[in-house]
Amino acid sequence: MHLPHQRGPLHDLPDTPEAYDAVLADVTEQALARITPDGNLEHPDAVDDIGDTSLGITSLLAFAWHRTGDPRLPQAVRRSLAFHLRERVYTEDNPGYPNLRERNSRLPYARYTLAAGAHPIGDWPSTVWALLQTVNLLDTTDGLVDDEQRTELLELAHGYWRWLTEATFFNPQEAGNQAIGCVVGGLMLARHLPEEQGEGVRARSLELYADKIRAHRVRDRGALLPPEHGGAYDNNYGPISLSFLAQAHRVSGEEIFAEDGDTLARYIDARLTTGGFDNGGPRYSEQHSGFESVLGLRYFSRRIGADLGRYRGDTRWGRHAAQADGGIDGHFAWMLIWQIQDGTRWHREPATSAARHQLRSGTVSVAFDDRMTPAVVEAGGTYYLPAAVNRQHGFGPVTDGFLHCRPMGEVRVRDLSADGLSAKLVSKPVVGRDHVLRHVRSLYVTDGTRLWMTVAVELLPGSPYLLAGLPYAADDGDRVRRVATGEVTAAGELRLTHPEAERTDHFDARSETTQELAAFALAADPRGYGNPDAGWRHLVASTALEAEPAPGAPGDLHVFAVRYGAGGPFSPAFELGEQGLAVRTEAFTAVIGEPAGDERGEPLLTLRG
């Protein structure tokens, strides 16, 4: 089976003017065939996220008219705009909506679903999306609609803004992408209002960003990030936030958006594998955005000099939102317009500087979490997730059911490159159940096609082994395929184990389920509302690669050695000397310094091919 949402790298989608003209031509033909006598452009199967979608397609038609002058489009734009103004503007409070600060304000808003009281919780983001569709139309309807419609459209946009910022609590779902989107809407609206009024809206937009979004950023992997549904980052919504930051910078010129976008972009680059796979987040653990991410990933790939376009998006939404039959849905239509308007081209080469939370070379990468434990290992086209044992998750030595990977003190990191090799040494103090402090030194070395992991720790009691990952997925052309094995070799005995219990909190990689579905099954709240990352933390056991200690290690150390990727015999040798532990493999010799490190306590490492 394939993962449903992670498909091709987004930078593989053609983004020339000719390619975009072809997209708009397809949208035009679909819309003209669909439009009803009363001007409705909604997809007939749309139920959720519907309140702004007809207006979104209207904005695409107006934009297409400016590029092509198609004589069929002005009437369609006027009819569909009239439909939205007549049928999809709500001014009476939605029954059950919980986030109002002012009842009966009579300000306009958009509904997530059309039926009164059916699903009111989504009205805030739907109104943000409607505001953005509206301001995009204000940018493109000069000479296309009459003064009366344009005046009504401007009043509607201002009303949406006031409902979002006065009648309701701001950002009630703690969703960074929605909140930054609202700020973008205000910045774009301000340009169409009379000068004094526009300056007030612009100032309020910047104030909301500073006080309600930026001041509440969450730290993860050394970066301060806009919070997403209560977490630091979501691999679906995070890149969408990056697109909103790009547009905010394009519209306002304010450096704060560029700076925060650079931070988020570098974070994404560090956590993203070479092959573009990623998982994790407080809302959609494996679902990936498509065209909604292109603007931000492309804009900031150029700014930070990194190949962010390797991000595997859902290319079924590679151009615009679509329903199950492939037909266009107007949801998020402004993102297609913005990416066409933006002339930035993809930066396609990897960043050259070392990143604390990443090791990357060629087709190999390791993304590290906050504890500097691998979050994803990629080698040989296969992706390995942290395995679980006895409710503990990670990569590291295990003894008597205790996983030694959670630091009790400062984690030190040393990066080094030599002779075509790239290496990262991670040294962390760890306290076991016996209350003994040990230093776990983990060396990761890659030649761009294979990854060697060597872990040294003071002698452990019992019968220790190295928890070396959960083989989970592999590249399969423009798709990602679920797997339960990988090309892995160990110096000691290597075994692939599977949980015996058939329970929700035991994950067997051989089963036809995904990490996302398993995580939501363990989450406290319903799928789509709960936190799958929090749910996944309840996992008791998983499929796991387990490596016995390597033979020939010095007597006072347990050393574990594993190689990911094909490469023939693997018989590393170890020797303890004055400089530290020497590790010799078929591809390199490295010396891992003593835990005390240099005069500043930083880990020592030498490497040669």
Side-chain angles (χ1 to χ4, degrees):
M1 62 175 289
H2 290 99
L3 299 184
H5 301 285
Q6 298 202 40
R7 296 174 181 249
L10 289 178
H11 64 202
D12 285 353
L13 292 167
D15 62 349
T16 62
E18 294 77 16
Y20 283 131
D21 283 339
V23 172
L24 291 172
D26 176 59
V27 168
T28 295
E29 297 308 320
Q30 285 194 54
L32 293 178
R34 176 189 299 173
I35 192 167
T36 63
D38 61 356
N40 187 355
L41 285 169
E42 292 162 0
H43 192 287
D45 295 336
V47 176
D48 296 341
D49 269 321
I50 192 175
D52 67 300
T53 60
S54 180
L55 192 64
I57 297 178
T58 303
S59 71
L60 290 174
L61 297 181
F63 184 68
W65 179 78
H66 275 279
R67 288 172 71 88
T68 67
D70 188 330
R72 300 174 296 171
L73 293 179
Q75 183 186 22
V77 168
R78 295 165 192 151
R79 282 172 56 203
S80 57
L81 177 55
F83 167 80
H84 182 85
L85 294 171
R86 184 179 66 249
E87 303 290 343
R88 294 294 181 259
V89 176
Y90 298 88
T91 56
E92 293 185 2
D93 295 347
N94 199 352
Y97 184 70
N99 300 316
L100 290 175
R101 300 178 62 188
E102 178 184 347
R103 292 184 59 191
N104 302 316
S105 68
R106 306 299 298 175
L107 291 170
Y109 67 94
R111 286 186 176 174
Y112 179 74
T113 58
L114 300 182
H119 194 86
I121 197 69
D123 289 355
W124 201 87
S126 287
T127 304
V128 173
W129 312 151
L131 169 63
L132 291 169
Q133 313 283 26
T134 305
V135 293
N136 259 10
L137 273 167
L138 288 171
D139 284 349
T140 55
T141 50
D142 280 340
L144 192 56
V145 301
D146 60 31
D147 291 344
E148 183 178 350
Q149 261 195 335
R150 186 170 176 80
T151 298
E152 193 173 354
L153 191 64
L154 180 58
E155 291 174 351
L156 176 64
H158 196 199
Y160 282 151
W161 169 256
R162 292 188 58 204
W163 187 87
L164 291 163
T165 59
E166 298 174 19
T168 70
F169 289 95
F170 184 80
N171 191 21
Q173 295 183 23
E174 297 182 28
N177 75 99
Q178 299 172 9
I180 304 171
C182 183
V183 167
V184 171
L187 293 171
M188 295 182 70
L189 169 65
R191 302 181 303 181
H192 295 281
L193 294 170
E195 183 177 358
E196 184 176 349
Q197 198 175 38
E199 280 302 312
V201 170
R202 177 186 168 90
R204 178 64 172 148
S205 300
L206 297 175
E207 178 186 40
L208 285 169
Y209 182 75
D211 296 346
K212 297 294 187 180
I213 303 172
R214 199 169 196 267
H216 296 277
R217 288 177 298 171
V218 180
R219 185 176 296 277
D220 185 48
R221 308 186 194 190
L224 283 172
L225 309 171
E228 190 54 67
H229 287 284
Y233 176 83
D234 185 284
N235 65 354
N236 177 26
Y237 291 129
I240 297 175
S241 284
L242 193 65
S243 286
F244 283 130
L245 287 169
Q247 181 67 2
H249 185 239
R250 291 180 66 236
V251 171
S252 70
E254 295 286 340
E255 278 304 302
I256 192 171
F257 299 117
E259 293 167 4
D260 291 354
D262 288 349
T263 297
L264 177 54
R266 291 191 179 98
Y267 170 89
I268 292 174
D269 184 43
R271 71 174 288 147
L272 199 60
T273 59
T274 297
F277 171 84
D278 186 22
N279 76 309
R283 189 68 178 270
Y284 290 117
S285 186
E286 285 183 339
Q287 291 194 36
H288 275 52
S289 47
F291 77 103
E292 316 101 294
S293 300
V294 167
L295 173 65
L297 293 170
R298 194 175 67 191
Y299 191 83
F300 285 100
S301 76
R302 182 63 55 183
R303 280 188 56 91
I304 70 168
D307 55 336
L308 298 179
R310 70 188 190 275
Y311 179 93
R312 283 187 179 269
D314 191 337
T315 51
R316 295 170 300 182
W317 279 39
R319 299 304 193 182
H320 49 68
Q323 289 290 328
D325 64 357
I328 185 172
D329 181 313
H331 188 49
F332 265 59
W334 64 85
M335 282 292 193
L336 175 58
I337 294 174
W338 297 344
Q339 64 172 275
I340 296 174
Q341 291 173 330
D342 179 52
T344 306
R345 301 276 65 85
W346 289 108
H347 181 93
R348 296 179 178 272
E349 298 300 320
T352 55
S353 58
R356 178 179 173 88
H357 295 277
Q358 180 193 58
L359 174 66
R360 181 184 174 196
S361 176
T363 59
V364 173
S365 59
V366 185
F368 295 87
D369 63 16
D370 252 344
R371 306 177 303 187
M372 286 306 297
T373 297
V376 184
V377 168
E378 172 194 19
T382 299
Y383 303 102
Y384 303 85
L385 302 181
V389 57
N390 198 23
R391 302 181 188 276
Q392 302 158 94
H393 302 198
F395 289 73
V398 178
T399 181
D400 296 328
F402 184 84
L403 173 60
H404 295 257
C405 76
R406 293 169 299 282
M408 182 64 71
E410 191 67 24
V411 179
R412 308 296 185 102
V413 177
R414 172 63 59 89
D415 286 282
L416 191 62
S417 296
D419 301 331
L421 301 165
S422 298
K424 187 182 293 285
L425 175 61
V426 177
S427 179
K428 62 175 74 171
V430 175
V431 174
R433 287 206 171 105
D434 57 5
H435 289 206
V436 173
L437 177 69
R438 294 178 174 85
H439 294 85
V440 178
R441 289 170 292 166
S442 302
L443 174 65
Y444 307 86
V445 180
T446 178
D447 62 358
T449 61
R450 297 164 293 176
L451 173 72
W452 291 264
M453 180 192 299
T454 306
V455 180
V457 61
E458 293 91 340
L459 280 177
L460 295 163
S463 302
Y465 63 88
L466 180 74
L467 195 66
L470 157 67
Y472 178 70
D475 291 336
D476 186 14
D478 63 352
R479 299 293 301 275
V480 179
R481 175 172 47 87
R482 279 279 283 107
V483 298
T485 60
E487 291 182 299
V488 182
T489 309
E493 179 187 345
L494 180 70
R495 56 185 174 266
L496 180 65
T497 66
H498 304 284
E500 296 180 1
E502 295 184 4
R503 292 168 32 186
T504 306
D505 55 5
H506 288 60
F507 185 80
D508 191 329
R510 298 169 299 181
S511 65
E512 289 198 1
T513 189
T514 64
Q515 188 269 352
E516 176 188 0
L517 294 178
F520 268 119
L522 292 168
D525 295 306
R527 187 178 189 282
Y529 303 94
N531 184 337
D533 277 6
W536 188 249
R537 285 193 286 271
H538 293 297
L539 191 71
V540 173
S542 73
T543 292
L545 287 161
E546 300 175 355
E548 294 290 327
D556 60 347
L557 290 175
H558 270 124
V559 179
F560 308 87
V562 175
R563 185 186 65 202
Y564 301 84
F570 180 52
S571 301
F574 311 96
E575 182 181 354
L576 196 59
E578 291 185 2
Q579 301 301 315
L581 176 67
V583 180
R584 294 183 176 88
T585 74
E586 73 282 11
F588 66 87
T589 297
V591 178
I592 303 172
E594 292 298 320
D598 62 15
E599 66 277 4
R600 294 180 295 113
E602 296 299 326
L604 292 167
L605 175 66
T606 62
L607 176 70
R608 69 175 187 272

